[in-house]
Amino acid sequence: MKKILIVGHSHIVALQTAKTVDPTFEFYSIINQQQMDEISELDHDNYRSVIFSIMGNNHNVFGLLNHTQPFDFYFPENLNLPINSNARLLPVNLVAAILRRNMSSIFTITSQLLQYFKQPIYQIESPPPIPSELHIQKYPGVFKDKIIELGVSPAPFRYKLWRLHSKIVSDNCQRLGISFIDVPTETQDEEGCLQERYWNTDPTHRNARYGDLVINQIRAIHGMEIK
C-alpha cells in the first residue's frame, strides 16, 4: 500500500506522536536546505498523497508578545472581537500585508516542494492560539526572555492574527492548486481559540491528542477507517 507522506516543520510533531498514527504515514522534517534537497531524491511512487505542514508560527512570531508600539485592527469575519483601546488602530489590509511579507519563506518552500511531487497535495492549517496568558508564561519556550520583557498579547488579538495567517496560507494554496485542511473544529472553544485538552507544554504547539484528530482528518480525506 502506498503511504501518505507528511512533510514540514515543528507542527508535525503532534501528528508523529499521535496514538492513531501507523505505518500508513511517513514523516519527513525539513529543518534545513539539505533536508529539502533530500526530498527530491525520495521514491515518489511510494506515496499516494503528500501533506504539507510548512512552518506555521509566523503569526506567533509577529504577535505572541505585546508590541513596543501596540496596535490592533478590526477583523472583517467578526467585527465584534475586542479592540485594545490603548493601541493604535490599523487597517486590516495593512496588518495582512505586513504579515504576508513576513511569511515569504512559506511561499518559497511550498513552491520548491511542489516541484518534487505529482500526487495530490494538502496543506494543514496551523493550530489556533492558546488563550491562557498564564499557560504561555508558565511554558514560554524560546520566547522566555521576551515574555519577561514585553508580556503576552491578549488572546483576541492573537486569534485575529491567526485567522489572517490562515487566510493568507489558504489563498496561496488555492493559487497553487493545493487543498487546505482546516483545523478540527472540535478543538476550538467558543472564542475560536484552542481548548485546554489540546495544549502542549510550550506556547505555540499542540499535543498528541490534537495530532490524533488531524491524523483522522487525513484518514477521512483518503476514505480510510477512522481510529
Side-chain angles (χ1 to χ4, degrees):
M1 177 184 293
K2 291 189 176 184
K3 295 185 176 182
I4 298 170
L5 179 64
I6 301 180
V7 177
H9 296 90
S10 56
H11 281 303
I12 69 173
V13 174
L15 281 64
Q16 286 177 296
T17 56
K19 292 182 179 180
T20 52
V21 75
D22 61 31
T24 304
F25 297 87
E26 182 175 324
F27 295 87
Y28 205 93
S29 179
I30 47 172
I31 304 301
N32 54 47
Q33 185 58 48
Q34 179 181 346
Q35 291 169 320
M36 286 285 292
D37 295 338
E38 291 171 355
I39 287 282
S40 65
E41 300 174 3
L42 296 175
D43 185 352
H44 295 171
D45 289 336
N46 288 338
Y47 308 110
R48 61 187 295 187
S49 67
V50 184
I51 313 294
F52 289 169
S53 181
I54 309 300
M55 302 182 74
N57 265 338
N58 303 79
H59 56 97
N60 286 311
V61 173
F62 187 48
L64 180 70
L65 308 172
N66 290 315
H67 282 246
T68 53
Q69 297 181 334
F71 70 91
D72 209 339
F73 59 97
Y74 283 104
F75 186 54
E77 287 184 13
N78 185 351
L79 296 175
N80 294 320
L81 288 170
I83 293 290
N84 182 356
S85 60
N86 296 319
R88 181 182 179 185
L89 192 61
L90 297 179
V92 63
N93 289 342
L94 175 59
V95 178
I98 297 170
L99 184 57
R100 188 180 297 109
R101 182 190 63 191
N102 293 345
M103 294 167 60
S104 60
S105 54
I106 292 181
F107 310 140
T108 300
I109 293 171
T110 301
S111 296
Q112 184 176 348
L113 286 173
L114 280 178
Q115 300 175 34
Y116 304 144
F117 300 104
K118 296 180 180 179
Q119 295 90 339
I121 307 291
Y122 302 85
Q123 167 69 43
I124 298 172
E125 184 177 12
S126 62
I130 293 172
S132 170
E133 295 177 26
L134 291 176
H135 179 86
I136 295 171
Q137 290 166 349
K138 183 178 180 180
Y139 303 104
V142 298
F143 296 93
K144 179 179 180 179
D145 292 341
K146 287 295 184 180
I147 286 176
I148 294 173
E149 177 186 354
L150 300 171
V152 179
S153 62
F157 176 76
R158 290 185 281 112
Y159 170 79
K160 287 183 282 187
L161 285 178
W162 169 66
R163 292 302 306 135
L164 278 183
H165 181 278
S166 291
K167 186 178 188 314
I168 292 169
V169 174
S170 177
D171 288 348
N172 187 59
C173 287
Q174 185 175 14
R175 180 178 64 84
L176 296 173
I178 297 172
S179 299
F180 188 72
I181 303 176
D182 296 320
V183 300
T185 55
E186 61 266 44
T187 65
Q188 296 176 268
D189 62 22
E190 293 181 355
E191 284 72 42
C193 292
L194 195 70
Q195 294 186 40
E196 185 173 0
R197 73 186 73 176
Y198 303 110
W199 298 355
N200 201 358
T201 52
D202 71 59
T204 63
H205 296 94
R206 308 304 172 252
N207 61 25
R209 184 181 292 179
Y210 182 91
D212 280 323
L213 296 179
V214 177
I215 287 291
N216 277 333
Q217 280 184 308
I218 298 170
R219 289 181 182 280
I221 288 170
H222 291 79
M224 299 163 62
E225 180 182 356
I226 303 299
K227 293 189 176 182

